[in-house]
């Protein structure tokens, strides 16, 4: 009797599945939708037979979530410029809708500072000089040696122009992968160390940063007027303009007196919420490589929830906010300080530390300047 019951149950189940089998599915309305970044649109499906909708879950999928995402209710969110396909699946039937996210345009950027970092005949190609042209938004401080602190956005372009010009001459620069006069290098992303180079637009804020790589376009220089029209890697349209003084930094000159650091952190300690603002200070000690006994004390200000030092760009300031370096306090020997001969504390004026994770370990790229103008630098691995 039990065997007959099992057979009957299976037969009923198979009959139920067959009775509510999906024969067709389609997306209601247009099969091509054009959206702007940030827009949302809810896709609806029509399933045949109608009663099969109750017995079959609709599964949604985006072919490229970086362009547009979709949730389990069919709500599509436009993320960035591009094209992708949203598919809805019920049973073994599928319907699709093409999503086109309109091109991202930036044409109202405001720059208040310009710097040319001159590298001379760095390429070794006869008759060609190379420089980095940067236009900075408000929010950045630029030191006499060209180092920066702060946050905002900046335009960066590696340009080439004829010797013996030191400053970029008037003219139009176009994109080129090869080093030749009156060209700029398109933007590139280095996956090995997660850095960008060439020509790009960079945005930085508290705890994060992003860049738009520039593929093509033209850059025009006419005395102190700089303009440009560019197309980004994902089709972004970017227009820049700057008028004003241009600071010149000669990178061909010998570097100032430099204190180089050992390649590993000597000690690591949790100091705690010393600023009473919901942050935590984590301290690293790094010795100089010249065996003089000098060592650098780095006080990283991190979110109190962090279990270690999070990756990011840490600037020396007195904000006491996460992703900063605590300022020097030589009186009580706290903050970011250089100890000369292991005893004498020296103030650090400005600089930054970039924290990356490489092969599971933290790596610090350090650039700091102490009171007498000496540069402290090094690439340091933290095993703690």
């Amino acid at each position: 009797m039990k065997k007959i019951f099992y057979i009957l149950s299976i037969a009923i189940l198979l009959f139920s599945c067959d009775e509510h089998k999906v024969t067709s599915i389609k997306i209601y309305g247009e099969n091509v939708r054009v959206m702007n970044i940030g827009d949302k649109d809810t896709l609806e499906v029509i399933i045949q037979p109608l009663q099969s909708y109750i017995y079959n879950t609709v599964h949604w999928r985006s072919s490229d979530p970086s362009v547009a995402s979709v949730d389990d209710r069919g709500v599509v969110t436009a993320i960035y410029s591009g094209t992708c396909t949203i598919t809805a699946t019920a049973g073994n039937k599928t319907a699709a809708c093409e999503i086109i996210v309109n091109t991202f345009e930036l044409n109202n950027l405001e720059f208040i500072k310009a710097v040319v970092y001159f590298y001379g005949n760095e390429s070794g190609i006869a008759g060609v000089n190379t420089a980095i042209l940067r236009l900075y938004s408000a929010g950045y401080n630029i030191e006499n040696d060209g180092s920066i602190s702060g946050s905002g956005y900046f335009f960066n372009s590696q340009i080439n122009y004829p010797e013996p010009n030191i400053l970029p001459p008037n003219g139009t620069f176009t994109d080129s992968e090869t080093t030749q006069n009156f060209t700029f290098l398109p933007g590139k992303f280095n996956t090995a160390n997660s850095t960008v180079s060439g020509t790009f637009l960079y945005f930085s804020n508290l705890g994060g940063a992003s860049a738009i790589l520039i593929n093509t376009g033209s850059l025009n220089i006419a005395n102190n007027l700089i303009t440009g029209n560019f197309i980004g890697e994902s089709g972004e349209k970017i227009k820049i303009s700057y008028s004003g003084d241009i600071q010149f930094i000669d990178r061909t000159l010998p570097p100032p007196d430099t204190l180089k650091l050992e390649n590993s952190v000597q000690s690591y300690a949790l100091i705690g919420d010393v600023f009473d603002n919901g942050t935590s200070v984590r301290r690293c000690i790094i010795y100089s490589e010249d065996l003089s006994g000098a060592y650098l004390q780095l006080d990283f200000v991190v979110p109190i929830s962090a279990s270690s030092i999070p990756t990011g760009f840490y600037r020396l300031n007195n904000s006491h906010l996460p992703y900063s370096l605590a300022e020097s306090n030589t009186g009580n020997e706290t903050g970011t300080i250089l100890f000369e001969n292991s005893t004498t504390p020296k103030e650090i004026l400005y600089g930054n530390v970039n924290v990356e994770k490489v092969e599971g370990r933290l790596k610090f790229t350090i650039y700091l300047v102490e009171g007498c103008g000496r540069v402290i630098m090094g690439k340091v691995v933290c095993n703690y």
Side-chain angles (χ1 to χ4, degrees), residues 179-240:
T179 302
Q180 51 187 306
N181 285 325
F182 290 102
T183 62
F184 66 82
L185 181 68
K188 298 179 181 298
F189 180 76
N190 188 332
T191 55
N193 57 12
S194 299
T195 59
V196 289
S197 60
T199 302
F200 56 87
L201 191 61
Y202 186 88
F203 299 85
S204 65
N205 50 51
L206 183 63
S210 61
I212 298 175
L213 302 182
I214 290 175
N215 278 0
T216 63
S218 63
L219 174 70
N220 302 288
I221 299 178
N223 298 322
N224 284 2
L225 176 63
I226 301 170
T227 58
N229 289 279
F230 306 97
I231 302 296
E233 183 183 40
S234 299
E236 304 94 335
K237 295 181 180 179
I238 300 167
K239 182 182 291 186
I240 66 161

Side-chain angles (χ1 to χ4, degrees), residues 80-369:
Y80 205 72
S81 306
T83 301
C84 71
T85 301
I86 304 295
T87 54
T89 303
N92 61 356
K93 301 297 181 181
T94 299
C97 179
E98 184 181 21
I99 302 295
I100 300 171
V101 181
N102 283 327
T103 299
F104 180 48
E105 296 189 13
L106 279 170
N107 50 27
N108 58 351
L109 297 170
E110 183 178 354
F111 300 101
I112 64 170
K113 300 172 185 175
V115 181
V116 168
Y117 300 88
F118 179 68
Y119 290 90
N121 184 233
E122 184 182 51
S123 66
I125 297 175
V128 181
N129 275 337
T130 297
I132 298 293
L133 170 66
R134 276 194 182 176
L135 307 179
Y136 290 98
S137 72
Y140 286 103
N141 295 314
I142 305 171
E143 307 298 340
N144 291 334
D145 65 355
S147 61
I148 65 171
S149 60
S151 62
Y153 56 85
F154 63 78
F155 169 79
N156 184 99
S157 186
Q158 181 177 324
I159 58 177
N160 304 299
Y161 48 88
E163 291 183 306
N165 292 286
I166 296 178
L167 282 171
N170 291 345
T172 299
F173 297 73
T174 56
D175 54 279
S176 175
E177 293 285 352
T178 60
T179 302
Q180 51 187 306
N181 285 325
F182 290 102
T183 62
F184 66 82
L185 181 68
K188 298 179 181 298
F189 180 76
N190 188 332
T191 55
N193 57 12
S194 299
T195 59
V196 289
S197 60
T199 302
F200 56 87
L201 191 61
Y202 186 88
F203 299 85
S204 65
N205 50 51
L206 183 63
S210 61
I212 298 175
L213 302 182
I214 290 175
N215 278 0
T216 63
S218 63
L219 174 70
N220 302 288
I221 299 178
N223 298 322
N224 284 2
L225 176 63
I226 301 170
T227 58
N229 289 279
F230 306 97
I231 302 296
E233 183 183 40
S234 299
E236 304 94 335
K237 295 181 180 179
I238 300 167
K239 182 182 291 186
I240 66 161
S241 180
Y242 171 80
S243 179
D245 294 334
I246 301 174
Q247 184 177 346
F248 180 78
I249 306 293
D250 192 347
R251 293 299 198 202
T252 65
L253 296 176
D257 183 25
T258 301
L259 177 67
K260 293 186 177 181
L261 300 169
E262 288 186 343
N263 59 7
S264 63
V265 172
Q266 183 71 23
S267 66
Y268 172 86
L270 171 62
I271 306 303
D273 186 9
V274 298
F275 300 119
D276 195 26
N277 64 349
T279 63
S280 180
V281 171
R282 293 179 178 268
R283 177 172 295 169
C284 292
I285 302 296
I286 306 163
Y287 279 90
S288 66
E289 66 176 19
D290 61 7
L291 304 179
S292 66
Y295 66 89
L296 176 67
Q297 174 178 290
L298 286 176
D299 275 9
F300 293 89
V301 184
V302 305
I304 200 165
S305 59
S307 58
S308 64
I309 300 172
T311 58
F313 195 72
Y314 293 75
R315 299 173 182 85
L316 179 64
N317 54 44
N318 60 359
S319 70
H320 303 159
L321 294 174
Y323 300 95
S324 67
L325 297 172
E327 75 277 14
S328 299
N329 188 327
T330 56
N332 59 18
E333 300 184 355
T334 60
T336 300
I337 295 177
L338 176 70
F339 287 87
E340 199 78 64
N341 300 321
S342 301
T343 56
T344 308
K346 291 195 172 182
E347 181 183 12
I348 306 297
L349 296 180
Y350 58 87
N352 54 71
V353 177
N354 188 39
V355 179
E356 304 169 279
K357 182 162 280 189
V358 180
E359 297 180 349
R361 298 187 300 176
L362 292 178
K363 180 180 178 181
F364 304 155
T365 301
I366 300 169
Y367 182 88
L368 300 167
V369 179

